[in-house]
Structure formats: structure tokens, C-alpha cells
Amino acid sequence: MKKIYQITEKFSQGVFTYHDKIRSTSVLYGLYSNIMKMGGRIKELIDSHKQMCRFVAHEIRTPLSTIQMTTDSIKRKNKEDALLTKKINSIQEDVSGINRIVGVFLIYSRMQSSEIKLKKSKVDLVSWLKNLLEPFSTSEFDIAFNSGESSAVFVEIDPDILKHAVANLITNAMKFAESDICVSLSLNDEHVFIHVDDDGPGLPHDHIDDLFSEYMTVGNAVVGEKHIGLGLAIVKKAVDLHKGKVMAVQSPQLKGARFTIVLSKNL
């Protein structure tokens, strides 16, 4: 019974490769055999679903590229037509938006599988965060950075993977902020904390624990419905890969929401 419990516990965690054999002479062998067959079938269905979703996502990018090139060509040949240019720009913005959604989906799909392995290196988080914030400098929001009294904080991370987490937190803050966003860094003897604060309406009163779930949406009377989608799920997965944790609280700084990534100094 203990072995069967361990198998079903692993299955409940999504680990379908776990095996703990039971002798065929056991009175529980029939139950064990059925559970193993069920686990194998569930794994097959999940793998098939992932492959199909990736295939569809990749296939979508081909016509999107064609639309982008065609609209570029039309725009170049009709530079004097302001109305047409405006409509084409709108189409291209939608194409870019779909491309971003597909990109996010593919990243999440890879993180959910065993494809991604961390490639850690010793990184100065202060310099790394400053560089990460550069693309956001043209944003309509005032995005500040504060490293406290630290001029350099070195931690072993996979900078490419963790970049998805921090960038998604900033993008998420931009959905809710009124004008101000602050990215800050703090630390204690054992941990490093990366905070992303905004001056928006704050966290929802309900379902805070579900914020990092797939396809979660948040809505309230102030901001209306805001789609979070896979963004925060990617954050959690990237941080989990680093054996860290991510938390959401009301911002003590900007009075909106604060999302914090907690990393061990000894990753």
C-alpha cells in the first residue's frame, strides 16, 4: 500500500516516469498494474497535447510573417495615403501582438517540459537588472530602479531564463500601473529579493493564490478585466527552476501591487 501511495503521489505531481515495482504475487498487483497503465496513458495524452499545441503555434507564425511582409510592401508603395497607412499600422500591431502571444506560449511549453536545463553563471544582479530595464525606457510609465546600498550583488543564475520572469513581472505591472513602476533589489544573509512594485489598484481581494495559475484573469470595478494569461505562470516556473519562490503582496512603496522573486544566495 505504501508503494502504491508513493506512485499515486508522484502521478498527482505530474511525474509519470516514477516506478516502484510490486511483485506479481502481491494481492495488490492488479491495482498496481491498472494504476501504471493509467499513468502511462495520461502521459501519452499530455505529450500528444503538448506536441499538437507547439505544432499549431509554430504554424501560426508562418502566415503571420507573410502578413507582416505583405503589409510592409503595401505601406511602402502607398506612402502618401495616410488613411491606408493608419489601417496597415493597426494590422501590424495586431500581428505583433499575436506573435508575442505565440512566443509566450512556446516559452511556457518548453518550461513545462524537461527541455530547459539551467545554464548558470555568476551574474551581478545590479548590472543585469539595469540592462534588462533598458528596453522599457521608452515606455509611457516612469520605471525606476533601486538597488539600495548595493553597487553589485553576485548570484549564480541562468540569466536568460530568469530574464523571462522579471520581464513578465514588469509587463504585468504595466497592465495595471497608473504611472509609476519600481524595480528594486534587497538582500539578507541568505536570500536576494527582486521586487516589482506598481501604483495600480493593488491585488484582487479574491484568488490571490491563483495569480500564478495558467490563464488567470483579474477583474475589478476600477481596472475592468485584465488578462494575465501565462505571464505569471512563466514567472513561477522560471523561479521554480532556480529553486526560489515568488510572492504577491500589496506594495508598501507605491500602494499598488508588489511581486517579489526570492532567490537563495547559494543557488
Side-chain angles (χ1 to χ4, degrees):
M1 285 298 295
K2 183 178 179 181
K3 288 183 178 180
I4 289 177
Y5 173 79
Q6 289 172 335
I7 292 169
T8 55
E9 183 180 39
K10 290 291 184 181
F11 283 6
S12 71
Q13 296 168 357
V15 182
F16 297 101
T17 55
Y18 180 82
H19 296 283
D20 197 347
K21 290 185 178 180
I22 292 180
R23 287 177 295 190
S24 58
T25 54
S26 170
V27 294
L28 296 175
Y29 183 78
L31 176 62
Y32 160 80
S33 179
N34 287 338
I35 289 173
M36 295 305 298
K37 288 177 182 177
M38 179 176 65
R41 181 57 179 154
I42 292 172
K43 186 178 185 301
E44 287 178 7
L45 290 171
I46 291 174
D47 290 343
S48 175
H49 175 72
K50 287 180 179 177
Q51 290 174 4
M52 181 189 69
C53 289
R54 288 187 200 175
F55 173 78
V56 171
H58 281 294
E59 288 299 303
I60 287 174
R61 282 188 158 173
T62 301
L64 288 178
S65 297
T66 303
I67 294 170
Q68 187 71 39
M69 289 187 292
T70 303
T71 51
D72 280 338
S73 177
I74 294 172
K75 191 161 63 173
R76 283 195 302 271
K77 292 178 181 178
N78 297 272
K79 293 180 180 179
E80 307 303 321
D81 192 332
L83 180 60
L84 180 62
T85 299
K86 183 178 179 180
K87 290 181 178 179
I88 289 176
N89 286 340
S90 178
I91 293 171
Q92 291 183 328
E93 286 177 9
D94 288 340
V95 169
S96 296
I98 297 171
N99 257 321
R100 284 192 296 272
I101 292 170
V102 172
V104 166
F105 178 83
L106 289 173
I107 291 168
Y108 180 74
S109 179
R110 287 181 63 208
M111 285 186 174
Q112 283 294 90
S113 70
S114 58
E115 294 177 21
I116 290 184
K117 304 295 182 184
L118 293 186
K119 297 177 181 179
K120 293 182 183 178
S121 59
K122 198 171 185 179
V123 174
D124 173 17
L125 286 181
V126 175
S127 297
W128 181 75
L129 285 169
K130 287 180 179 177
N131 291 332
L132 189 151
L133 287 170
E134 276 296 318
F136 296 97
S137 60
T138 57
S139 163
E140 62 183 281
F141 298 95
D142 182 8
I143 303 179
F145 174 64
N146 181 9
S147 60
E149 298 178 358
S150 304
S151 57
V153 177
F154 288 94
V155 178
E156 283 197 0
I157 60 169
D158 184 320
D160 293 327
I161 298 298
L162 197 62
K163 178 180 179 180
H164 291 302
V166 180
N168 279 349
L169 287 184
I170 296 170
T171 303
N172 185 67
M174 293 169 67
K175 295 178 183 178
F176 297 92
E178 292 184 10
S179 60
D180 295 325
I181 296 170
C182 181
V183 178
S184 58
L185 192 62
S186 63
L187 58 157
N188 60 24
D189 292 339
E190 297 180 353
H191 298 98
V192 175
F193 306 88
I194 301 173
H195 310 285
V196 179
D197 294 72
D198 66 66
D199 64 347
L203 296 172
H205 297 297
D206 301 320
H207 310 300
I208 291 181
D209 293 338
D210 297 328
L211 284 176
F212 299 97
S213 301
E214 297 91 336
Y215 313 110
M216 176 63 184
T217 61
V218 173
N220 61 42
V222 178
V223 298
E225 188 179 74
K226 298 285 186 176
H227 292 268
I228 293 177
L230 291 172
L232 292 180
I234 288 174
V235 173
K236 187 176 188 308
K237 187 62 180 177
V239 174
D240 285 347
L241 287 170
H242 284 83
K243 301 190 184 304
K245 62 180 180 179
V246 59
M247 304 179 296
V249 298
Q250 299 297 336
S251 172
Q253 182 176 350
L254 297 178
K255 309 306 179 185
R258 163 175 281 190
F259 287 86
T260 299
I261 293 173
V262 184
L263 299 173
S264 171
K265 285 185 177 179
N266 301 310
L267 286 172

